[in-house]
Amino acid sequence: MRLALTLAFLLLVPAVAADSFGRIGPALFVEVEVPASSASEPTIGIPWTTNSVFYHAGVATYRARFDEQGNPNWAEVTAPYQIPINLDPMLTADVVTGRVFAGGLLGPCSEMLISDDDGETWTPSINMCSGANFDHQTIGTGPPAGPLPVLGGEGGHVAYYCAQGGTISCARSLDGGAVWGPFQNVPGSCQGFHGHAQVSPVNGFVAIPTASCGDKQGYIASADGGLTWTSNQVPGSDEWTNGFDPSLQFTRQSGWMYYGMASDDGIHIALSKDNGATWESLGASHGEPTGWLDLGALHDPPIWAGSFTDVEAGDDDRVAFSFYGIEESATADKEFLRSEEIYKCDSSRQADLVWRSYIATSFDAGQTWSVARVSDDPVQVGGMWDVVIGGDGSCRNLLDFKDMDIDVNGRIVIGFADGCTGECAATLQPESAGYRDNAARLHRQVAGRGLFATADIVVDPVDLDGDGTANVEDKDLDGDGIDNSADSDVDGDGVGDQADDDQDADGIVDAQDPVVEVAGRSAAPSSSGKGTPLPVVLLVLACLFAALRRR
C-alpha cells in the first residue's frame, strides 16, 4: 500500500526542468515548507557571500542551503540568547559583507543579534533604543555617504535603524551595526508606518518608503550618511488610506530607485533614476505611459486592490514586484475591492475575499510587464485586517508584511506566511480547517529569467519551418498555410496536438518546457509544472484502487 501511494505521488507531481531558471519564459515558483511552527510576519535575507536563505519568524531563525536540484537543507540557527518575547521579528542580510541581523522588538528597544559566519555564531548589537518611536522597526546597510568615516575601513558598510511611533526616528552605525549612535526625529510630512530601509549600492543614498506623506505616498531619505533626513513625495501617487507599507529597492548597476505600493487604490509602481529628483514614465507597451503605473490593471482579470508589497531590483532594466491581491470576479467588483471592507474581519463578505500571491516583472526598465499568480493556491480567505481601520481584529493572522529577496544569481525568493491551508485552500471557505493559519513558507523561483542578466541561459530561437521567424513569433509554425490557432497539428509532425507531448518541436517535452514556443498559443506550466497526461492519471488511480482493495 505504501509503495502504491509513493508511486502515485511521484507520477502525479508535475515536473519543472532543472535548468529552467535563467531561460526566457514565465517566472515559475515552487513552494518550500519552512520548519517553523508558525510565522505571521516573517522576514528573510540572503547574503551573497554564501547564498544561504535565512528565514526569521517569532523568536526563531532558520537557514536553508539549496543543492543543485533545488532541495533545501534546513538548520535552526537561532542565537542561544535570543529574546523569549518578540513584539516585531526582524531579519536582514548585508548581501556584500555577509552580515546577518536577527532579533526583534522588546519594548522601546530592539534586541538584535549579528552573525558574520552564516549563522554559526552570534553577538549582540548595542544601543538600539529609539524610545517612544519604537514600533515597526527596520534595518538597512550599504556603502557610506557623507563626511563621517566608516570604522570598518575600506569596503566597510554603514547601517541604519529606523522605527516609528507616529513620528519616525532613525539612528546609524558606522561599524556596520555593532554599535549605534543616537536617534533623531525625521522632519517633514512623511510619518507613521513605513517599509524596509534600503541603501543604494552606488552612492550610499538611504531611503525608507513611507505610506503617508501628506496628500501623497513617499519616502524619507538621507544623502549624507544619516546626518540629515528629508521627507519626499512620489508624484502622481495617491493619498494613503489603507494597505500596509510601500516598498522600494535600488538597482545594483546605477542605483535607480523602483518604488511600489499595493493598496485599495491599486497596484502601482514608479521609477526614479536620480534619487527622486525626477521620475520616469512607465508602461509604454501597454498604452499611455505614466509615472504611477497600475500593474493590477494589466492582469486578466484585473487585480484592483492588494497588500504586502515587496520590490526587488537587479540590473537597471530588471525589477520584480511581489504582492497579495484579489482579482475581480462576479462576486467582487472594482467598487467593493477598492473599499476598506477588504481589510476588515467583520465584513459580511469574507468568502468574496480570496487573496493570492502575485509577481510582476519587467526586463526593460518598466515599459513592459508580466503580471501573474505566483501560485493558484490562496494565501488568505477573508479580510486582511489593517489596524489603521480598526474594528474587530480577532481574525488578524498575517500581521503587517511578508518579505522578498534575491540571491547572487538574481533568483527571486519570497518569504511568507500561508493563511489558508488544507481544507481552506481546497474549498476557499471561511471557517474551514486551515482558515486563518500562518504556516511558514517560501516561494522560490525555478524557471524564467532572474534579475541579473549574467545568469541568463541563452538559447538559439527555434525556427521549425525555416522562414526566418522564430517559433515564439511565428503564427504559422509548420508553414502549412494554417494559422496556429486553427491548426490541429501545429508542428506538422503527423501527431495531433492533443496527443503531441512536444507541440513546438523543440526537443523538450512540453511538461518540462518552461515556454511552449507557439505564437498565438504561448503557454507555460503552472507554478508547480505542467499536469500529468490523463492516461497516466487513470493508470495511477487504478493502481491505488487495486491497492486499497487488497487491504
Side-chain angles (χ1 to χ4, degrees), residues 439-485:
R441 297 288 187 268
L442 291 175
H443 276 138
R444 183 174 185 264
Q445 186 183 4
V446 294
R449 287 178 290 176
L451 299 187
F452 293 129
T454 53
D456 287 355
I457 297 174
V458 180
V459 294
D460 293 331
V462 178
D463 178 12
L464 180 64
D465 59 3
D467 63 355
T469 303
N471 288 3
V472 73
E473 298 176 349
D474 195 342
K475 295 185 178 180
D476 180 10
L477 188 70
D478 56 1
D480 63 357
I482 303 174
D483 189 273
N484 295 334
S485 62

Side-chain angles (χ1 to χ4, degrees), residues 7 19 28 82 86 111-112 117-118 183 196 219 246 256 261 277 330 413 428 497 517 526 532 543:
L7 289 173
D19 61 348
L28 305 181
Q82 174 66 269
N86 195 335
E111 298 290 337
M112 301 294 293
D117 56 7
D118 214 34
F183 283 79
H196 297 318
Y219 57 98
W256 296 358
M261 179 61 168
V413 181
L428 307 182
D497 291 341
E517 297 169 306
S526 68
T532 306
C543 292

Side-chain angles (χ1 to χ4, degrees), residues 193-196 208-212 217-219 240 243-248 259-262 292 309-311:
F193 290 110
H194 52 76
H196 297 318
I208 295 124
T210 311
S212 180
Q217 295 163 42
Y219 57 98
W240 180 70
F244 303 90
D245 306 325
S247 177
L248 64 80
Y259 182 105
M261 179 61 168
W292 188 240
T309 307
D310 287 295
V311 175

Side-chain angles (χ1 to χ4, degrees), residues 1-178:
M1 176 61 184
R2 290 181 180 177
L3 176 61
L5 287 173
T6 301
L7 289 173
F9 174 78
L10 292 175
L11 285 169
L12 289 172
V13 171
V16 175
D19 61 348
S20 295
F21 173 74
R23 186 176 170 182
I24 292 177
L28 305 181
F29 295 79
V30 295
E31 184 172 301
V32 180
E33 291 189 8
V34 181
S37 58
S38 62
S40 291
E41 50 182 23
T43 45
I44 65 172
I46 308 176
W48 294 349
T49 51
T50 64
N51 227 28
S52 297
V53 177
F54 285 83
Y55 186 107
H56 188 69
V59 296
T61 308
Y62 300 88
R63 181 192 64 207
R65 292 171 174 164
F66 288 85
D67 63 22
E68 292 183 358
Q69 288 71 44
N71 302 307
N73 179 19
W74 286 101
E76 184 176 350
V77 293
T78 305
Y81 28 87
Q82 174 66 269
I83 56 175
I85 299 175
N86 195 335
L87 303 179
D88 250 341
M90 177 59 59
L91 182 143
T92 190
D94 188 313
V95 299
V96 175
T97 68
R99 174 164 287 184
V100 178
F101 297 79
L105 190 64
L106 185 62
C109 300
S110 272
E111 298 290 337
M112 301 294 293
L113 291 304
I114 56 178
S115 175
D116 293 318
D117 56 7
D118 214 34
E120 295 297 326
T121 61
W122 300 85
T123 57
S125 184
I126 299 173
N127 191 32
M128 301 184 74
C129 298
S130 53
N133 301 323
F134 63 86
D135 184 41
H136 218 65
Q137 79 281 17
T138 181
I139 298 172
T141 62
L148 293 181
V150 178
L151 299 182
E154 185 176 354
H157 276 186
V158 177
Y160 301 90
Y161 175 92
C162 296
Q164 69 87 32
T167 298
I168 300 175
S169 295
C170 295
R172 63 182 173 177
S173 168
L174 299 178
D175 59 4

Side-chain angles (χ1 to χ4, degrees), residues 211-222:
S212 180
C213 294
D215 60 353
K216 304 221 179 301
Q217 295 163 42
Y219 57 98
I220 63 171
S222 176

Side-chain angles (χ1 to χ4, degrees), residues 335-354:
E335 181 179 3
F336 171 62
L337 294 180
R338 291 204 163 169
S339 73
E340 64 179 25
E341 293 298 308
I342 66 174
Y343 300 121
K344 289 183 176 181
C345 293
D346 51 3
S347 169
S348 61
R349 299 177 61 178
Q350 295 292 297
D352 296 336
L353 301 174
V354 180

